[in-house]
Amino acid sequence: MDLAAETATLDSRRPAETDAPAGRVVVRAIVAGIGGYLPERIVGNDELSRTVDTSDSWIRERTGIHQRHIAQPHETCAFMATRAAQAALADAGAAPGDVDAILLATATPDQAFPATALRVQAALGCGGFGFDLSAACSGFIYALSMGDLLIRSGQARGVLVIGAEVYSRIMNWQDRGTCVLFGDGAGAVFLRAGTGEGTGADRGILSTHLHADGKLGDILYVDGAVGRADKPGHLVMNGKEVFRHAVVRLSGAVDEALAANGMDHAAVDWLVPHQANMRIVDAIAKRLALPVERVVVTIDRHANTSAASIPLALAEAHADGRLQRGQVVLLSALGGGLTWGSALIRL
Ligand SMILES: CC(C)(COP(=O)(O)OP(=O)(O)OC[C@H]1O[C@@H](n2cnc3c(N)ncnc32)[C@H](O)[C@@H]1OP(=O)(O)O)[C@@H](O)C(=O)NCCC(=O)NCCS
């Protein structure tokens, strides 16, 4: 079989159950609980402008960022992921024994191995299995998609999906083009197996779409790795190129999600995009004709927390009562790789 053709087919395939005839009972991954954790230390733009040649007004105007949370030494990826997971389990009224799998999206794990997911497993006292997943800022959508598959295949009935990042540890703090953009944090959702009829009226994850183009790997990357003692690595970015791709690919991803579910833009109650730049968020909202009041925005206070940004935004909007059962939530993200994708969920 032609591999390129097969990959393209897999990229855009609708989940099997959305094709199920009405009346048939299908398994759905229901978002049962949501939680987040942000480091205590807040660093405002003015504080950064004392160490690097930038200004509060430049950062606000070009990105929408006012401040970011920066982890202290004890706030490791595993520490923050555990706090977020505990909050998600408590929100779901679930116990550690209900967790069959932990999927943790991160580019900044505590150790090369064991997987940070397993440090979280030990801290929570769960059984089952777990692993880390690397897809940069799209990591949470990728992990959510894998969690959905585990539940729909019957391999797991309860899955913790976590995005946790300490990008402050891979920043070049002399590079004003990148260090002002990122922050640290963790967010988690607990997925629980439920049932539906295979229609868009079901609760749960209605679809996920994942994409990647490795040929674009050099516009956003870390120039080292834990396996290279001489170079643990710093984040490097061609901001203009990433911006250009972000608007095009994210717009495509939201259109794809709606088309796969036979839904119109008007069906979306909340857009929860990856929080990289307010100008990118505005462009996607405009394309969906969604007023900004229906877009969950945290970039002003969190900056870009990579794989943690979407679950942290979900946690905030859930905690303040914006997210309500039955609503349709559209998630979309783009990150280094390039990776990008979307998820459509009915809460
Ligand atoms: C990074 C980004 C904010 C830069 O904005 P921009 O409008 O493209 O700005 P430019 O890169 O053209 O830089 C314009 C000027 O500002 C300067 N500049 C860059 N960062 C600066 C900062 N923090 N403070 C002050 N000036 C800065 C540049 O050096 C340049 O100066 P010059 O004109 O004298 O050469 C923007 O490109 C962006 O957000 N890209 C996407 C990033 C992203 O989303 N990454 C994560 C994806 S997951």
Side-chain angles (χ1 to χ4, degrees), residues 54 58 62 137 176 237 239-240 242-243 274 276-277 304 334:
T54 189
W58 191 96
R62 300 290 179 118
C137 298
R176 66 179 182 173
M237 180 176 72
K240 271 198 191 317
V242 173
F243 193 102
H274 171 49
N277 185 316
N304 180 349
L334 173 131

Side-chain angles (χ1 to χ4, degrees), residues 158-219:
V159 179
L160 266 172
V161 179
I162 309 171
E165 301 282 16
V166 270
Y167 268 42
S168 59
R169 305 207 173 127
I170 55 165
M171 276 303 122
N172 173 355
W173 288 100
Q174 269 73 56
D175 177 12
R176 66 179 182 173
T178 53
C179 74
V180 302
L181 302 176
F182 293 90
D184 300 330
V189 300
F190 180 61
L191 300 178
R192 190 186 266 140
T195 54
E197 294 182 349
T199 73
D202 290 349
R203 285 188 71 211
I205 298 176
L206 299 177
S207 70
T208 60
H209 289 86
L210 306 181
H211 296 281
D213 185 351
K215 293 189 294 300
L216 295 168
D218 289 337
I219 64 172

